Amino acid sequence: MLQCIYLLSDSGEVMLEKQLTGHRVDRSICAWFWDQSLSQGDSFKSLPVIASPTHYLFQIVRDGITFLACSQVEMPPLMAIEFLCRVADVLSDYLGGVNEDLIKDNFIIVYELLDEMIDNGFPLTTEPSILREMIAPPNLVSKMLSVVTGNASNVSDTLPSGAGSCVPWRPTDPKYSSNEVYVDLVEEMDAIVNRDGELVKCEIYGEVQMNSQLTGFPDLTLSFANPSILEDMRFHPCVRFRPWESHQVLSFVPPDGEFKLMSYRVRKLKNTPMYVKPQITSDSGTCRISVLVGIRSDPGKAIESITLSFQLPHSVSSADLSSNHGTVTILSNKTCTWTIGRIPKDKTPCLSGTLALETGLERLHVFPTFKLGFKIMGIALSGLRIEKLDLQTVPPRLYKGFRAQTRAGEFDVRL
Amino acid sequence: MFNQFGSTSETLSKASAVVLRIGTDAHLYDDPEDVNIAPLLDSKFESEKCEALKRLLALIAQGFDVSNFFPQVVKNVASQSSEVKKLVYLYLLQYAEKRPNEALLSINYFQKDLGDPNPLVRAWALRTMAGIRLHVIAPLALAAVSKCARDPAVYVRKCAANALPKLHDLRLEEHAPAIEEIVGILLNDHSPGVVGAAAAAFTSICPNNFELIRKNYKKLCQILPDVEEWGQILLIGILLRYVVARHGLVRESLMLSLHGMDSNGFCEKDGLVRDLTLDKEDGGKSDSFDVNLVNVVSKCYIEGPDEYLSRSSCPDTVTSAFDSKETTSIAHNEDVKILLQCTSPLLWSNNSAVVLAAAGVQWIMAPLEDVKKIVKPLLFLLRSSSASKYVVLCNILVFAKAAPSLFAPHFENFFICSSDAYQVKAHKLEMLSLIATASSITSILREFDDYIKDPDRRFAADTIAAIGLCAKRLPTIPTTCLDGLLALVRQESFAGDPESVDGEAGVLVQAVMSIQTIIERDPDSHDKVIIQLFRSLDSIKVAAARATIIWMVGVYCSLGPIIPRMLTTLTKYLAWSFKSEASETKLQILNTTAKVLISAKVDDFQMLKRIMVYMLELGECDLSYDIRDRTRFLKKLLSCKLASNEPTEDSVASQENIAVHVVEHVFGRKLKPFTPVALNDRFYLPGSLSQIVLHAAPGYEPLPKPCSFVFEEHDQLSDLDRQREAGAELDGSQESSETGDEDGSSDYDTESSVGSEFSSDDNERKVSNDASDPAAPLIQISDTSVSADQEELRSKRALDLWLDDQPSTSNQTPSAVNSNQSSYAKISIGDIGSRVKPKSYSLLDPGNGSGLKVDYAFLSEVSTVSPLHVCVEVLFENSSGEPILDVNLEDEESMKVADSSEQTLVGKANASYNNVPTLIPLEEISCLEPRQSAKRLIQVRFHHHLLPMRLTLHYNGKKVPVKLRPDLGYLVKPFSMSIEEFLATESRLPGMFEYSRRCTFDDHVKDSRMENGKDKFLSICECITLKVLSNSNLHLVSVDLPVANTLEDATGLRLRFGSKILSSEIPLLITITVQGKCTEVLNLTVKINCEETVFGLNLLNRIANFMVEPSSLTS
């Protein structure tokens, strides 16, 4: 089981240490870790399980903060990694993000949360809605109160009612004057277009996100019009397996507030809403590059916040890029981002320019990969449709809302 | 309207955060010591206390030691404010172990809080009390836990379950039965939340107590989907282990059904399985499953690291490991069916660890045709966070190695995204090259083509290696691959100066090596490719790539009609470029020219000879001594050739001249045909840490032996009763099993150093001395003053009283408790030396070695060559009917080095081993008559304490690869020390340097000497010592004997062994404490103190394993 958790800032400073068991882990392990990651670079940073001379380390990096956990004995590594991800999620939910300042400013809350989330190296309470009842998230009111009175406890002195019930994700009896339940389909499109311009892989990763504010103990059923298109799925613990197995219906008692009901994947899509046509020619030390971006098949809704980013190869010494629409920025690490926004009606956005290669190189022999970003509100590109959402006992003044959106996930266009 | 309000509050909160970070704890973290903390702690305002505690926590967070505030903080435990209480608890847990005396002050408040009506308060109190890790309060904590295990609030019961491992961790042997009993109660809880936590407790306390699971098996399966995700992960593992231990593996599963396929074993009758698997695949059996590998994998799951390492037969000759009695069929077994049913919906879990654990169960237990349902959920996990992606990929790789057909249709999932981390990319490439089939290879190759142009050149080089692998696996594609690779070589070599771009050189080298792998399969049809490579030699600048191509010149110099005609030109070119080459290329040029010369035709011979002479002259005055050495060596070797005028001397002359033979043998050898790599991978259970780090992590347990748990109602019951009885008996005398430190001061003058006697030179004499008086072992009683009343002092009640009444005297009392040790006697054991027989392992069994049987045993002697060497006695025995000639044992590694000088492409790292040979060879046995045996002594230096060493056994002119497996017990040497030294060293190695394990021991029961009236304690000591010394090279430092106990009860018997790690001279201390009754199976606790944690833990596991093994010695 886990013995210790460290939070490291992006400069390698140990911001927090939480010993979990009687076997104390010395801080020097962090120094070892940081030395290694400095000397070995990125490939070490992306290694989630590390066998150090004394301990096994598990790491995840979230917004520059490294969450490091140590163990000396055999344990499922995914359990440690999932737990650290959960800690990171809960912290960013509580603090509105994770960064060095936020963690240092709220270190007491972080300590209290960690103490509640893990006991003796084994996860204790990880359900966000229950944690919220035990430890109040910092908000404006409590901050003001603490300034004025100098005394505001964020530790609740009663046990959340859900912590012990058979539906541990839900407080037993929340009360709302208006009952609202919202269902969002949030989809991400992953695609790979190879150097010949062919669509090699195109699939949708989607999540059904819900926000439920319902009184009492509601029992919901959500059904899709076309569940057969779903390739794989994963469910929130509240979803009952039996109804899904027999007739593909989601039956569940929802947690209170926002949560992710399920995630799914739809594979082998035939079409992408947009195209990217990059061209590159290189000769005698300079390269000409031109990239066209446009709409291939109109999804029926506006495509927004289109961006295209790519990494210039190492052998490029300088770049001169311009576009007829949107802005182009090149960062010092040779990351180039072209912010397009919406596609204008009258022209096709085009990025063009020249790249100067390092001296001695005749032509470019490695090519960048373009990452496309976009967002379409109001449509789920997978074609998944929600048929209906039923409540077993309909409360008074019930409001149900449905939304959908699609954005680009890992959309790679190779050149 | 709400929207507006929301946005205003958001801006406000942003403003407040930006302006001053008002109301947060920022100032406390940045400057925790700007006010005096001590008075704040004593303040009567809760808010000030709270601030002080926050400052302390800030200091802890920043790594300062603030334990000096302990007394003041402890007082605040009485606070009514929940926040203060929480903060105090956080502080207490950090420092309680360091300040045990003051920590005791808080116990009263915990006791009070445990009775609080608020379940949260009860839970906190329990968590903290169990967490402060003081042996003194352990009985109290245990009582509290057992009370809380019946608490009405689920949360409290959950915390009770979590508290159990904390108590177990204190190693209170006498409380173990009580703790296990509570685990059983909690496992039987009706709330899923509690069961999950109880599963965690079970895993860390008594993972092999299957009796507890048996009672609740059905219920646990039913409750599994409702258990919390973290509990599910562990509970799945427990249920799997139970089913394997109870019923064995499933006959229809992937693990076994293929097994029957090739060995025609017990599966024959199951025609159903055959049909299913046969019509499932179009490409036939061998394509869809790697039968050998599946067998290796399933074997690996069952056997522990020790067995794996000591397994004598080579892994690729795996024979039927599973008896049909140890298997079960899913059709008839309800338990297996339920397990599969209840784990399969978990493949939809949101938690990737749960999915992987459930997939592991299906992989091992599910019938062959159902295994494929794990594929999609596993692939879906690849869309989760990058960290879990890596772990999942590592596991999928193992599945895919054994059953490529499962994943073959899903190859698109392993296409690489630009955002993948390097390790993920590398694994995906390996995956793609594993699962490529004739139908998918075109798409995969097109992808590879894209990857080659990736800016990450290391990844591009890996891709090229993957192409080579694909071409090796699929015979249809090499031509397409070769064209592409050749084009790449041409392009790379024109890409300009490779030094200017990193990684470019690697791509080129890899391309040449991939071409070489493809050619190797079928050189005859690729001679044009070889010629093209030779032609491009001029434009290739990278030394390693040049060296490879030049090496190919030598190897393929007589291939086809064209190449031999190019040779003169080529060698001329090489001679011309010799001066400007890098040294690895120079070495290769010298070798190649020599090879060319040997195989030269008559008309080229004179020319080649002149070139050779020229090059040898150049080489002799080279700057690098390697090249000078090589030149001189070649000059001597080739002297006969260089002197002659003809390429091949007539046969009569050559027979007289051995040198010619040697030269022919060294340089004229043809490349060995392509052989598949041996299956010597080690596999661990899916989802385990060991599978990721590729060694057995401490605490890794393979699946239990199939059907090892036999349930017999009567026996189990009586056993439980007995345990309970023993527990009750021991309850009062908790300290008796504590360390006997105080004894060290008493007059200790026994001459009991048994261990050293074996290693000392004059052991003959001493042993005979001791043996002369075998019936009178020396017993010295050092202290007999402890009476039963004093024992009483330490009982729970007394502690309670003392805690309630006089907290002020807490400073003295615990030490007083400690000094009331029960007495021990030191004994010495004499006549063991003659009975110690080192265990022997088999290196080659007569079945494989055509009658030659080779065994080896580790000796306790210390090597004369270097401290790193271990002496191994090798026993050769001829069990065949004919004499065996020229038996010798050689190090494969060293042969490789010799080979590599002429073959290896890139400079090998192993040349730099610290100049000590890894094997001091034995004298060759020229002839071994039938039924004759011969003993030889070799000295070996292992590269790693777990990895076997590869040796080559020569006999009758044949070569057989064998593996010599290190025995951890002999990688230490005896370290003779006095008991005082031992205790002093031990006290310097606390905490993480100390680890212990429990095991059982039953040799003494079988030992017939027990009956003939000998002292029971002594014979137990003897048995244990014998067992330990027969399996490892240690020095017995002392034996402590409890005197106060009854004659039947061996509890408290303690043996100490001292040793040093061979390689690093780091001391390693072993303490074995006995618990149980003389006539029954004993429970041993083996404790190791050592700085070298990894080695220590491995050795600990080894000791625990051999203690349990049935003894081979019969007296």
mmCIF file of all heavy atoms in Angstrom, chain A residues 143-156:
data_model
loop_
_atom_site.group_PDB
_atom_site.id
_atom_site.type_symbol
_atom_site.label_atom_id
_atom_site.label_comp_id
_atom_site.label_asym_id
_atom_site.label_seq_id
_atom_site.Cartn_x
_atom_site.Cartn_y
_atom_site.Cartn_z
ATOM 1 N N LYS A 143 -13.949 32.851 3.146
ATOM 2 C CA LYS A 143 -12.737 33.659 3.206
ATOM 3 C C LYS A 143 -13.009 34.968 3.927
ATOM 4 O O LYS A 143 -12.260 35.393 4.802
ATOM 5 C CB LYS A 143 -12.226 33.938 1.799
ATOM 6 C CG LYS A 143 -11.455 32.796 1.192
ATOM 7 C CD LYS A 143 -11.052 33.158 -0.219
ATOM 8 C CE LYS A 143 -10.465 31.962 -0.925
ATOM 9 N NZ LYS A 143 -10.348 32.210 -2.365
ATOM 10 N N MET A 144 -14.113 35.613 3.539
ATOM 11 C CA MET A 144 -14.467 36.885 4.159
ATOM 12 C C MET A 144 -14.686 36.691 5.654
ATOM 13 O O MET A 144 -14.203 37.451 6.473
ATOM 14 C CB MET A 144 -15.752 37.436 3.520
ATOM 15 C CG MET A 144 -15.506 38.075 2.168
ATOM 16 S SD MET A 144 -14.096 39.206 2.248
ATOM 17 C CE MET A 144 -14.218 40.005 0.684
ATOM 18 N N LEU A 145 -15.410 35.621 5.946
ATOM 19 C CA LEU A 145 -15.723 35.348 7.340
ATOM 20 C C LEU A 145 -14.441 35.196 8.142
ATOM 21 O O LEU A 145 -14.307 35.711 9.241
ATOM 22 C CB LEU A 145 -16.545 34.054 7.403
ATOM 23 C CG LEU A 145 -17.521 33.962 8.563
ATOM 24 C CD1 LEU A 145 -18.620 34.993 8.358
ATOM 25 C CD2 LEU A 145 -18.109 32.560 8.632
ATOM 26 N N SER A 146 -13.485 34.488 7.542
ATOM 27 C CA SER A 146 -12.266 34.252 8.304
ATOM 28 C C SER A 146 -11.480 35.549 8.472
ATOM 29 O O SER A 146 -10.778 35.729 9.448
ATOM 30 C CB SER A 146 -11.420 33.185 7.610
ATOM 31 O OG SER A 146 -10.785 33.739 6.499
ATOM 32 N N VAL A 147 -11.617 36.469 7.504
ATOM 33 C CA VAL A 147 -10.923 37.745 7.667
ATOM 34 C C VAL A 147 -11.579 38.545 8.776
ATOM 35 O O VAL A 147 -10.916 39.123 9.638
ATOM 36 C CB VAL A 147 -10.944 38.535 6.343
ATOM 37 C CG1 VAL A 147 -10.394 39.925 6.561
ATOM 38 C CG2 VAL A 147 -10.150 37.798 5.294
ATOM 39 N N VAL A 148 -12.916 38.536 8.760
ATOM 40 C CA VAL A 148 -13.638 39.357 9.722
ATOM 41 C C VAL A 148 -13.541 38.773 11.134
ATOM 42 O O VAL A 148 -13.109 39.432 12.066
ATOM 43 C CB VAL A 148 -15.122 39.482 9.303
ATOM 44 C CG1 VAL A 148 -15.895 40.287 10.332
ATOM 45 C CG2 VAL A 148 -15.210 40.134 7.930
ATOM 46 N N THR A 149 -13.890 37.511 11.250
ATOM 47 C CA THR A 149 -13.946 36.940 12.598
ATOM 48 C C THR A 149 -12.669 36.209 12.973
ATOM 49 O O THR A 149 -12.439 35.922 14.132
ATOM 50 C CB THR A 149 -15.096 35.937 12.704
ATOM 51 O OG1 THR A 149 -14.789 34.852 11.815
ATOM 52 C CG2 THR A 149 -16.413 36.543 12.310
ATOM 53 N N GLY A 150 -11.898 35.885 11.973
ATOM 54 C CA GLY A 150 -10.685 35.129 12.255
ATOM 55 C C GLY A 150 -10.978 33.696 12.619
ATOM 56 O O GLY A 150 -10.125 32.975 13.095
ATOM 57 N N ASN A 151 -12.164 33.258 12.375
ATOM 58 C CA ASN A 151 -12.498 31.905 12.770
ATOM 59 C C ASN A 151 -13.546 31.336 11.825
ATOM 60 O O ASN A 151 -14.675 31.778 11.814
ATOM 61 C CB ASN A 151 -13.043 31.905 14.205
ATOM 62 C CG ASN A 151 -13.363 30.504 14.651
ATOM 63 O OD1 ASN A 151 -12.910 29.535 14.051
ATOM 64 N ND2 ASN A 151 -14.141 30.416 15.698
ATOM 65 N N ALA A 152 -13.143 30.438 10.995
ATOM 66 C CA ALA A 152 -14.125 29.763 10.159
ATOM 67 C C ALA A 152 -13.606 28.366 9.927
ATOM 68 O O ALA A 152 -12.566 28.174 9.323
ATOM 69 C CB ALA A 152 -14.297 30.487 8.846
ATOM 70 N N SER A 153 -14.322 27.437 10.439
ATOM 71 C CA SER A 153 -13.862 26.066 10.283
ATOM 72 C C SER A 153 -14.369 25.534 8.951
ATOM 73 O O SER A 153 -15.510 25.763 8.569
ATOM 74 C CB SER A 153 -14.411 25.232 11.427
ATOM 75 O OG SER A 153 -14.278 23.891 11.097
ATOM 76 N N ASN A 154 -13.502 24.832 8.244
ATOM 77 C CA ASN A 154 -14.000 24.184 7.032
ATOM 78 C C ASN A 154 -14.165 22.687 7.236
ATOM 79 O O ASN A 154 -14.398 21.949 6.319
ATOM 80 C CB ASN A 154 -13.102 24.483 5.834
ATOM 81 C CG ASN A 154 -11.663 24.186 6.125
ATOM 82 O OD1 ASN A 154 -11.353 23.634 7.182
ATOM 83 N ND2 ASN A 154 -10.777 24.536 5.217
ATOM 84 N N VAL A 155 -13.987 22.255 8.485
ATOM 85 C CA VAL A 155 -14.180 20.844 8.764
ATOM 86 C C VAL A 155 -15.566 20.662 9.358
ATOM 87 O O VAL A 155 -15.902 21.289 10.349
ATOM 88 C CB VAL A 155 -13.133 20.332 9.754
ATOM 89 C CG1 VAL A 155 -13.327 18.860 10.012
ATOM 90 C CG2 VAL A 155 -11.756 20.613 9.232
ATOM 91 N N SER A 156 -16.348 19.831 8.722
ATOM 92 C CA SER A 156 -17.690 19.603 9.229
ATOM 93 C C SER A 156 -17.620 18.704 10.450
ATOM 94 O O SER A 156 -16.767 17.834 10.530
ATOM 95 C CB SER A 156 -18.525 18.957 8.130
ATOM 96 O OG SER A 156 -19.512 18.154 8.705
#
